[in-house]
Amino acid sequence: MGIVADIVARSQKTEHGFNDLQLSADEVVSANDRAAASEIALALLDSQVHQARCVGTFILGHFAASDPDALHILKDRVSQDSDWRVQEILAKAFDRFCHDTGYEAALPVIREWLSATVANTRRAVTEGLRIWTGRPYFRDHPGEAIALLSALRDDESEYVRKSVGNALRDISKKHPDLVRQEVRSWDLTTRGVQQVHKLATRIIGEMP
């Protein structure tokens, strides 16, 4: 497939940032119907070039709200990718899904991904929706965002815990009392919870 080879070659020139990779994905989507674009995305996921897999992930994110198969591929396949840069794009793709679906309407899928066995899947949500209370629905329901994140305070994955702590810290900038009230109820006897607590209270810990 010539277009795939062209995208792979072009994507390799991107060493920093994701804008050019997003642009490549947008061009594929605009020039092809969903079936053809999805086929290109799947071919890119097979590439040894991480930038190409990022483009494929961006493409799937574009269709995730309207194509359950695209969402499943993101959850079941892309989450298995070992490259952290691909995981950053997975987080962006999941947020795209939530945006296109509507954040409130996406709540069942948000909860499903947060309870997934694969750490990268859980982290796609905690990281992808940052800043949580800057997103529609969670802007008006900060307590729900805090509750969803706090449920992962003792996650087995440090990768996830760091994302959770940082996301709660973000929320604490506008809702310090809500975050302070939540963390006061935590059992701090485990290292994981201590780590999330330290990150979450980095700002409010210095406030009266």
Side-chain angles (χ1 to χ4, degrees), residues 61-79:
H62 183 91
F63 296 119
S66 58
D67 183 359
D69 288 340
L71 183 63
H72 288 315
I73 292 168
L74 290 171
K75 181 176 184 284
D76 297 334
R77 180 174 176 182
V78 177
S79 67

Side-chain angles (χ1 to χ4, degrees), residues 57-147:
T57 303
F58 269 129
I59 294 170
L60 292 171
H62 183 91
F63 296 119
S66 58
D67 183 359
D69 288 340
L71 183 63
H72 288 315
I73 292 168
L74 290 171
K75 181 176 184 284
D76 297 334
R77 180 174 176 182
V78 177
S79 67
Q80 301 288 341
D81 197 296
S82 61
D83 194 286
W84 68 269
R85 289 157 293 200
V86 176
Q87 296 311 316
E88 290 301 308
I89 306 309
L90 175 61
K92 292 177 180 294
F94 187 77
D95 186 51
R96 173 67 183 268
F97 160 78
C98 293
H99 175 274
D100 293 347
T101 301
Y103 289 86
E104 183 174 10
L107 278 170
V109 178
I110 289 173
R111 294 190 179 100
E112 175 191 338
W113 280 47
L114 285 175
S115 63
T117 57
V118 177
N120 286 336
T121 305
R122 302 192 297 276
R123 195 255 183 191
V125 184
T126 61
E127 194 67 22
L129 271 58
R130 289 179 62 187
I131 296 172
W132 279 63
T133 48
R135 302 300 197 254
Y137 179 72
F138 293 115
R139 183 183 297 119
D140 297 324
H141 300 83
E144 184 151 11
I146 292 169

Side-chain angles (χ1 to χ4, degrees), residues 1-8 32 35-44:
M1 189 183 298
I3 187 173
V4 172
D6 290 344
I7 293 172
V8 172
N32 297 271
S38 297
E39 184 178 354
I40 292 169
L42 290 174
L44 290 170

Side-chain angles (χ1 to χ4, degrees), residues 3-76:
I3 187 173
V4 172
D6 290 344
I7 293 172
V8 172
R10 173 181 170 182
S11 69
Q12 284 182 293
K13 298 177 182 178
T14 300
E15 296 182 3
H16 305 287
F18 303 115
N19 289 341
D20 288 343
L21 304 179
Q22 173 77 76
L23 179 61
S24 292
D26 291 345
E27 290 173 355
V28 169
V29 170
S30 64
N32 297 271
D33 61 25
R34 184 169 68 185
S38 297
E39 184 178 354
I40 292 169
L42 290 174
L44 290 170
L45 293 184
D46 286 332
S47 174
Q48 295 300 310
V49 177
H50 74 267
Q51 296 99 320
R53 301 198 301 278
C54 287
V55 175
T57 303
F58 269 129
I59 294 170
L60 292 171
H62 183 91
F63 296 119
S66 58
D67 183 359
D69 288 340
L71 183 63
H72 288 315
I73 292 168
L74 290 171
K75 181 176 184 284
D76 297 334

